[in-house]
């Protein structure tokens, strides 16, 4: 099985599990009465956030890694907010929880990419020659071959 298949399967299963629990909360409220839409969103966002993070850690180039880690972090922030609302945490705790998740995502993004800039170009590499320098060398080689 490929990695993409596993990520898509996890995503689909998270939606299925959230939908089943939400249905059970409506059908059997005495057993699943505490389960509400906040928990459903938390499950879907949490599983998809972890899937994005793992996909960002283990694959792709620097741009894709940062993008996937960023998307995973956003989904985990949504998950944290939904869990805070589902547990009815005081509002003064929500912002610090979001800040911790965001900072962890930033640190993970730096660790995954090794601190490389996503827009690092060839001109920043050692031994890079500009267009004019390359053309001058080609002309010099042509003149040497003609002589």
């Amino acid at each position: 099985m490929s990695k993409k298949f596993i990520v898509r399967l996890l995503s689909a299963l998270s939606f299925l599990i959230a939908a089943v629990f939400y249905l059970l909360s409506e059908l059997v409220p005495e057993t699943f009465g505490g389960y509400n839409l906040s928990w459903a969103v938390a499950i879907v966002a949490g599983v998809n956030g972890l899937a994005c993070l793992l996909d960002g850690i283990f694959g792709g180039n620097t741009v894709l890694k940062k993008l996937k880690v960023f998307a995973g972090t956003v989904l985990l922030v949504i998950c944290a907010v939904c869990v805070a609302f589902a547990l009815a945490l005081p509002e003064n705790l929500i912002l610090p929880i979001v800040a911790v998740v965001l900072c962890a995502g930033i640190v993970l993004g730096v660790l995954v990419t090794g601190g490389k800039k996503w827009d690092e170009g060839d001109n920043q590499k050692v031994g890079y020659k500009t267009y004019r320098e390359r053309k001058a060398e080609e002309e010099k080689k042509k003149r040497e071959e003609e002589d």
Side-chain angles (χ1 to χ4, degrees):
M1 281 194 279
S2 71
K3 183 176 60 171
K4 285 183 180 181
F5 175 76
I6 293 172
V7 169
R8 289 179 183 159
L9 180 66
L10 278 175
S11 177
L13 284 176
S14 71
F15 280 101
L16 178 66
I17 290 170
V20 167
F21 277 137
Y22 193 59
L23 178 64
L24 286 173
S25 73
E26 294 297 323
L27 293 175
V28 191
E30 57 274 355
T31 306
F32 293 96
Y35 187 82
N36 55 22
L37 194 57
S38 291
W39 283 113
V41 173
I43 289 172
V44 171
V47 171
N48 286 313
L50 288 175
C52 279
L53 281 178
L54 291 175
D55 199 21
I57 290 171
F58 296 116
N61 58 19
T62 305
V63 177
L64 290 177
K65 282 184 177 187
K66 280 196 174 189
L67 184 64
K68 289 176 182 177
V69 168
F70 177 72
T73 302
V74 169
L75 286 170
L76 288 177
V77 166
I78 292 170
C79 175
V81 170
C82 287
V83 168
F85 282 124
L87 295 176
L89 291 176
E91 288 185 21
N92 61 345
L93 286 179
I94 294 173
L95 194 57
I97 291 171
V98 169
V100 167
V101 173
L102 280 175
C103 291
I106 291 169
V107 168
L108 189 61
V110 170
L111 288 175
V112 165
T113 60
K116 294 180 182 175
K117 293 181 181 178
W118 67 270
D119 62 346
E120 190 173 90
D122 290 337
N123 60 348
Q124 295 174 343
K125 294 179 181 175
V126 177
Y128 175 77
K129 296 180 181 174
T130 64
Y131 174 79
R132 289 188 175 107
E133 291 171 340
R134 289 193 307 265
K135 283 297 183 183
E137 284 184 2
E138 288 176 12
E139 289 176 9
K140 185 178 176 183
K141 284 182 183 179
K142 275 186 179 178
R143 278 185 268 139
E144 288 177 359
E145 289 175 0
E146 290 174 0
D147 291 338

